[in-house]
Each structure stands twice: as C-alpha cells, then as structure tokens.
Amino acid sequence: MNLKTSITLFLFLGFTINNYSQVTSKEKVLSEIRNEGFNNSEAMNMLSQFTDIYGQRLTGTREYYNAATWISDEMKKIGLQNVHFENYCSDCRGWGIKTFAVEMVAPNYMNISGYPLAMSKSTDGIVSGTIISIESYADMNWVRSEFSGKLKGKIILLGKEPRKKSLLDTIESRYSETQLKQMEQKVTAKVKTTPLPELFEQWKTDDFSEESFLKFIEAEGAIAVLTTRPMYLGVLHPQGTYYYKEGDLKPLPYFTIMPEHFGRLYRMTKLNATPTIRLNLETEFYSEPENNVNIIGEISGNDAKLKSESIVLGAHFDSWHSATGATDNGANCIVLVEALRILKQIGYEPKRTIKVGLWGGEEQAYLGSAAYAKKHFGDLNEKPNIASKKIAAYLNLDNGAGLIRGVYLQNNELARPVFEKVFEPISTISSGAIAIENTLSTDHETFDYYNIPSFQFIQDDLAYGSATHHTTLDFLEYVPENDILKNAVILAWTIYSLDTMNENIPRKKK
C-alpha cells in the first residue's frame, strides 16, 4: 500500500468514525433516557403522593399551597435550580367544604348523590324544602314574572331532564391511526383563536351569566339549588362557580346531583308528586393571598451564548374540588418533573436553560400563566418585550393522562420540520402525528398570544372527556402507568432534541 492510498484510507476511516460517533451520541442519549424513564421511573410514586396525600388543589386554597410546597421540595431534590414561587393573584379567595348531605325525605326516602359547587355558602344548619322546577334562566324577565313571590323556602331544581347516556357506550378511547392521519392531512387550522384580552372579556360575561338568577332566587327566599349535567353511569360533574375573588357573589347552597336522581325529581314535579328535600352544607371562605403561587424551577443552561434562551415547559397545577385532579392535571405536572429528573439523572447539561412552570388558576381564567406572562413579557396590550424573544419554545401538557400521540402546531407550519425530526427516533412509543390545528382552553394560549412558539401535545382521551374531566372520578385509578412512563420519556427526548438544535423554532409570521 503506497503512502497516498494509506492517507486516503486513514481520512476515510476518520470521517466514518466521526460520523458514527455523531449518530450514536444521540442514540446513546435516547437509550439513556429510555432506560432511566422506563426502568427507574419515579413518576407513579410521585403522583400517588401528590394526589392521594395532598388531594384537590382548588385555586386560592390551603390545599393548593400545601401541594405547591411539596412539589417545590421534590423539584429541589432532583436538582432543579432557582426553584421559587411567584404570586399570581392578590385577591383570589380560599374556600372549602366541612360537611354536606342531600336527601329526599318525601313522598319516600332517597339518598341523593350530589356534590356542592365551589364557592357555595353554608345552609343555616339542616334545612328542608319542597322542590320547584325552573328549567332555564335564559330569559330573566320571564323568570321574575313567573316565580316572584313563589320561591320562599323552596329548593330550586334547575334545568331539564338530562339526556340519557347509554351504558353500552365506549367510555375509554384512544386515537386510531386513521384519526391521526386525518388530523395530519388538514392543511390549515379550522379552529380560530381569540386574542387573550378579548377572551378574558368574553369569560367575564360567560362565567357570570347566572349571577342575576342566583341573586334573584336568594332574594325571593329560596334555600338551595340542585342542578346536573349529563354524564355516564351516575358520574357527578360539580366543577364550580367562577366567583373566586374577594367581593364576588357568595352563591346560596348550590349542588350538582347525579343525572338519574335529577331525572327522577324532575319527573316527579311533572306528576304533581312534589319531592321534599332535606340538606345541609357547611363551607368556609378565607383570604390567604400567599396561597396563590406559580411554581417555577429550571436546569440552567451551560452554553455561553445560548444559556440566556429558555425552553419552557408548562402544566396547570390547580384542580377542581371534588376529586384529587389526577388526570386534570396532576399527572401532567408529574410528567414534567419526571422528564427533568430523567435529564438530570443521565447527566445531561443543556445548552439553553430549561424552565418549568406549574400554573395556578388555569381553571378560572389562565390566572397563573397570564400573570407570569405579564410580569416577564409585558402587558397584554403592549408589544411583547425582548424577554419574550428569548423563549425558544413553550411546551404544554394538559389533555388528560393519555399517551402523547403527536403535537398541535397551533397554525405554525414553520415548526413542522422540527417536530418531524423530534418524533422520528421515538416512533416505537408515539405515532408522532403533527397537526396544523389550533387547540384551545389551556395555558399554551397565553404564550401563543405573545408569539412565542407554543405547542400542546396531542394525547389519547381515554376516559377524560367522558368520565374524569372536572368530575368526582378524577382519581389515580384513571391514570395508566405505561402512558405516564412513555410521556416522560417523550418529553425528555423532546427537550433534548430542541435544546441541541442549531436554530430555534421559527415564530409565526404576524
């Protein structure tokens, strides 16, 4: 072999080995992420502590703050830096239930399965009254005309007989590959977003739409309200009223009851067999602004040029009050923390700063994420500041506890090639569907408004829409362990992939 041939072979081998090492470095990181996430996961243990011990996390409450303290300690234990609270509301009040009961006592006995709506005030001990049916308050002139002078000592049955849902219906569902393909085939987003200032003004009207009705019936001497929502198999959907600030209305005792029980009471009124209801409710209101905190933490970046940039992960931390908020949104809070634990455990040192924000008050009006954005990126009615340009991407997780099947691009077509590269190596655990569509109703809308590249993952619904979302069934039993383990791995890999890109995700053209 002559010298020229030897040099050529040496250069070829060096080029091949260098390319091989470049390819396998990413493969090595992915294998380490998978090994840590699948074989050494802390996710379900953390989620059980979070939901079973600390329970519901209604905005403004002591339970919320206790859970926030616990998870901030967990974040510190796994090595996150700059873990701290940021207050998001100075006048969001606390509220809690001490005891309640609802029963029909005539013409015969029935224990009524019900739950108080948030922010209801107490009864005056144990009270009794006969039912009067009011099917709608849409026309308050009609309500006043029809019911003035007739409500003293009455218990209002609000609404019509709920639509029956079949016991044979499928309760849990996952996306089929056909459905995911159909989502991918859309070339433009059909769902329209509403700018945050307009959205918040709209909610002020929508969320307070029943206020005049509640004030009227209380002034007329009504004792309480019973309502319902069509659900499956006796599921209760309490959710709550949106009177969450100091000075807001404190509604008279207000319960949601099981659809089947509501249906019986409604039919009895039509048959002139008027039910008598006995009930009691003891609640408390308090003002503790220190409870209203976002929980923030980070893994600081190590690249001299890029560490000022951030990849931000977000999930809402608050829940409604009738269960432990396991699927909405406890599981996803834990997935975010677990993904960062995985990256810390494998020794990954990011170029960019990786931040996590667990937001309060999402169920009310994106209170937590909106307060964070205003503080860091400027007022809603101002042009986004320079700090907003330093956010490379915002990733949100808030569609139940189902497996991540892809991502909504939020009408940002320029981001498609990025996520194609992210999902390709993990095709064995996620379909990697990339949908141009906008999805709504969670905190990514806040960051999207500031033209930060913002994305919500596509997740299998499971029983989220049918049984657990804002209901009394939102417990750990409806969180599948395999999905949680996979989601943490998918998220850790997504963070790594975005962090190691040479360029950031392009922003939407506005």
Side-chain angles (χ1 to χ4, degrees):
M1 183 183 297
N2 61 35
L3 181 61
K4 184 176 180 181
T5 303
S6 298
I7 291 172
T8 301
L9 181 59
F10 176 78
L11 292 173
F12 173 76
L13 288 172
F15 177 78
T16 302
I17 291 169
N18 186 53
N19 273 354
Y20 178 76
S21 64
Q22 287 178 353
V23 170
T24 56
S25 64
K26 284 196 171 183
E27 290 178 345
K28 182 174 180 292
V29 170
L30 179 54
S31 67
E32 289 176 343
I33 288 173
R34 290 176 64 112
N35 180 65
E36 183 62 30
F38 293 147
N39 295 323
N40 302 310
S41 176
E42 296 288 337
M44 292 304 290
N45 178 53
M46 282 195 290
L47 183 58
S48 179
Q49 292 183 64
F50 182 35
T51 58
D52 293 332
I53 295 175
Y54 293 93
Q56 70 274 18
R57 302 171 301 282
L58 184 67
T59 294
T61 63
R62 296 161 188 153
E63 292 87 354
Y64 178 99
Y65 184 79
N66 290 339
T69 300
W70 173 82
I71 206 163
S72 68
D73 289 342
E74 293 298 306
M75 290 161 68
K76 292 171 186 174
K77 285 179 188 176
I78 67 173
L80 297 194
Q81 299 150 309
N82 194 25
V83 177
H84 65 283
F85 293 157
E86 293 187 11
N87 190 274
Y88 63 81
C89 185
S90 61
D91 61 349
C92 290
R93 64 192 180 194
W95 174 88
I97 300 170
K98 293 186 175 181
T99 188
F100 72 91
V102 188
E103 305 164 289
M104 182 177 76
V105 293
N108 44 60
Y109 183 85
M110 178 175 70
N111 184 280
I112 295 176
S113 180
Y115 213 92
L117 272 62
M119 300 298 159
S120 298
K121 60 186 176 185
S122 302
T123 58
D124 185 14
I126 298 173
V127 297
S128 297
T130 54
I131 286 286
I132 187 168
S133 173
I134 301 179
E135 294 187 352
S136 172
Y137 56 80
D139 184 347
M140 279 303 300
N141 289 329
W142 174 82
V143 170
R144 291 187 181 95
S145 172
E146 185 70 19
F147 294 101
S148 289
K150 299 178 182 179
L151 301 182
K152 187 172 179 60
K154 300 294 185 180
I155 293 173
I156 311 301
L157 192 69
L158 178 60
K160 296 181 180 180
E161 183 178 13
R163 176 175 54 86
K164 176 180 176 290
K165 291 195 173 185
S166 173
L167 300 183
L168 300 178
D169 287 354
T170 300
I171 306 297
E172 291 195 347
S173 64
R174 292 187 182 272
Y175 284 111
S176 68
E177 292 303 319
T178 299
Q179 289 172 315
L180 293 171
K181 282 292 183 186
Q182 289 172 344
M183 294 169 71
E184 288 191 299
Q185 286 169 359
K186 288 185 180 179
V187 295
T188 58
K190 303 300 182 186
V191 176
K192 302 301 180 185
T193 59
T194 303
L196 282 191
E198 295 177 31
L199 187 62
F200 291 162
E201 286 301 314
Q202 177 184 316
W203 284 346
K204 286 180 183 178
T205 300
D206 294 347
D207 292 346
F208 289 76
S209 61
E210 63 183 356
E211 184 170 9
S212 59
F213 172 74
L214 294 174
K215 286 181 175 179
F216 167 74
I217 62 173
E218 184 171 11
E220 288 288 313
I223 296 174
V225 182
L226 306 181
T227 190
T228 195
R229 179 172 176 174
M231 298 296 293
Y232 290 100
L233 301 170
V235 177
L236 289 170
H237 191 286
Q239 195 162 303
T241 65
Y242 290 87
Y243 307 108
Y244 55 87
K245 287 195 173 183
E246 291 294 331
D248 282 351
L249 175 70
K250 295 179 179 178
L252 76 170
Y254 197 169
F255 294 82
T256 190
I257 67 174
M258 195 168 77
E260 293 82 350
H261 290 177
F262 186 99
R264 181 186 178 191
L265 297 178
Y266 179 86
R267 292 188 297 272
M268 288 174 72
T269 65
K270 299 302 180 186
L271 295 168
N272 296 317
T274 305
T276 299
I277 304 297
R278 180 173 64 204
L279 57 82
N280 77 295
L281 173 62
E282 185 179 353
T283 64
E284 64 173 335
F285 291 86
Y286 51 89
S287 178
E288 296 175 2
E290 63 272 20
N291 296 338
N292 305 318
V293 292
N294 294 320
I295 307 101
I296 312 296
E298 67 181 44
I299 304 176
S300 300
N302 286 278
D303 185 278
K305 292 183 178 179
L306 296 177
K307 65 182 180 181
S308 63
E309 297 181 3
S310 297
I311 297 169
V312 182
L313 322 174
H316 79 83
F317 192 74
D318 59 310
S319 74
W320 286 107
H321 58 295
S322 66
T324 64
T327 69
D328 187 29
N329 189 39
N332 289 322
C333 292
I334 296 302
V335 165
L336 265 58
V337 175
E338 171 69 2
L340 296 181
R341 187 199 68 80
I342 291 169
L343 292 176
K344 290 291 291 185
Q345 194 64 30
I346 69 171
Y348 179 66
E349 297 184 351
K351 298 177 181 179
R352 298 166 174 85
T353 296
I354 313 301
K355 291 189 176 182
V356 59
L358 303 178
W359 315 119
E362 186 267 357
E363 299 290 5
Q364 282 63 45
Y366 304 168
L367 296 178
S369 62
Y372 181 89
K374 291 174 188 176
K375 176 180 177 180
H376 295 278
F377 310 138
D379 193 76
L380 291 176
N381 296 309
E382 297 174 357
K383 186 177 180 180
N385 62 24
I386 296 298
S388 71
K389 307 296 190 294
K390 290 291 187 178
I391 308 299
Y394 175 76
L395 305 174
N396 200 74
L397 207 55
D398 177 25
N399 278 168
L403 179 64
I404 292 173
R405 304 298 298 277
V407 69
Y408 294 103
L409 292 180
Q410 285 304 114
N411 208 25
N412 185 357
E413 182 62 41
L414 300 174
R416 185 181 297 275
V418 173
F419 283 103
E420 287 176 342
K421 290 180 180 178
V422 168
F423 280 108
E424 192 278 328
I426 53 173
S427 59
T428 58
I429 56 175
S430 176
S431 300
I434 300 172
I436 191 64
E437 192 60 88
N438 293 308
T439 188
L440 308 177
S441 302
T442 191
D443 292 297
H444 70 282
E445 288 198 84
T446 297
F447 291 82
D448 185 59
Y449 174 74
Y450 285 84
N451 202 27
I452 293 166
S454 304
F455 309 96
Q456 164 68 36
F457 289 99
I458 301 168
Q459 293 176 263
D460 280 330
D461 189 75
L462 303 179
Y464 187 60
S466 61
T468 69
H469 183 245
H470 298 180
T471 77
T472 52
L473 294 187
D474 195 0
F475 288 95
L476 188 65
E477 282 77 0
Y478 290 91
V479 178
E481 182 175 4
N482 281 345
D483 287 22
I484 297 305
L485 268 57
K486 288 178 181 179
N487 286 351
V489 167
I490 292 166
L491 186 59
W493 172 251
T494 302
I495 296 164
Y496 168 82
S497 300
L498 297 182
D499 181 52
T500 53
M501 291 192 316
N502 292 326
E503 297 181 357
N504 288 331
I505 298 174
R507 293 168 193 259
K508 288 187 280 192
K509 304 295 184 182
K510 287 197 174 182

